[in-house]
Amino acid sequence: MIRRKDAPPYRPATQSTYTPRPRAKAVAQVDTRDKLVMQVPKADVVRDEGYRRLVATLKCINCGVVGRTQCAHANSPASGKGLSLKADDREVFPLCLECHQKFDQGALFTKEQRREIEPLWANKTRMTLRKLAEFDAGARRIVHRVLGP
C-alpha cells in the first residue's frame, strides 16, 4: 500500500473491552395477590400467498361480483388482528374493490355487525374452497396446506 507523504502517521487499532453494567429491570411491578395470572400462548399465524390468491378468484361474498375481487382480512381482534398486524389468512373472505373499501371504512355495517359477520364469511369461504378442492388438484394442494385435509 502506498501512503501519501502528507498523511498522518500509522497507528495500530486498540482493542477496548466492554463491561456491561447492571440495570434496573424494565418490567412493571403488578400486585397479583388478588388476581390469577396466566400466560396465554400466541396461536401460530398462517400466511400463505397462494391461499390469498385462491380466495381472490371467488365471487364477492357481499354483492356477488365476479372477477374483481380481493382477499379481505377480518378486522376483529378476536381473529388475531392487532396494531400493524393482519389477521390469520384462514380468516379471510373475498370482497370486490368497492365492498372491501366500504367494509373497512364502516360504510356497509356497524362495528358490531362486522364483528358478527366476519367469522361467518370466513367460514363460508373455507367451505367454498373445500368444495372447490374436490374438483381442482391445484386448489386441493393449497387448501390442504393451509386448512389441512
Side-chain angles (χ1 to χ4, degrees):
M1 181 167 94
I2 301 173
R3 293 180 47 86
R4 292 185 346 233
K5 291 180 182 179
D6 59 338
Y10 175 76
R11 293 186 318 187
T14 58
Q15 184 69 32
S16 61
T17 59
Y18 171 73
T19 307
R21 289 179 275 154
R23 295 179 12 178
K25 288 184 180 178
V27 178
Q29 298 296 322
V30 179
D31 181 19
T32 58
R33 287 176 281 196
D34 304 357
K35 305 167 191 139
L36 176 63
V37 178
M38 289 179 40
Q39 292 183 347
V40 178
K42 289 186 177 181
D44 291 332
V45 177
V46 174
R47 294 276 179 256
D48 193 289
E49 183 177 354
Y51 184 76
R52 291 190 305 266
R53 288 179 183 262
L54 188 60
V55 169
T57 63
L58 302 175
K59 67 180 183 176
C60 177
I61 201 162
N62 186 49
C63 68
V65 167
V66 178
R68 296 190 328 230
T69 54
Q70 301 174 336
C71 176
H73 285 85
N75 291 325
S76 66
S79 63
K81 168 78 171 98
L83 190 62
S84 300
L85 296 174
K86 288 279 188 195
D88 193 305
D89 282 352
R90 293 171 289 194
E91 297 295 320
V92 296
F93 40 87
L95 286 175
C96 66
L97 178 64
E98 294 82 16
C99 290
H100 193 171
Q101 186 176 13
K102 290 177 182 177
F103 186 80
D104 283 346
Q105 293 174 355
L108 289 178
F109 303 103
T110 65
K111 187 183 277 189
E112 293 78 24
Q113 290 171 328
R114 283 196 334 252
R115 300 296 183 255
E116 290 176 14
I117 205 164
E118 285 172 348
L120 299 175
W121 281 358
N123 190 37
K124 184 175 180 181
T125 301
R126 288 190 298 269
M127 289 174 21
T128 302
L129 289 176
R130 286 199 184 274
K131 285 189 179 188
L132 177 66
E134 293 175 5
F135 305 103
D136 185 352
R140 185 179 310 118
R141 281 191 300 274
I142 294 170
V143 170
H144 285 208
R145 181 175 66 223
V146 175
L147 302 178

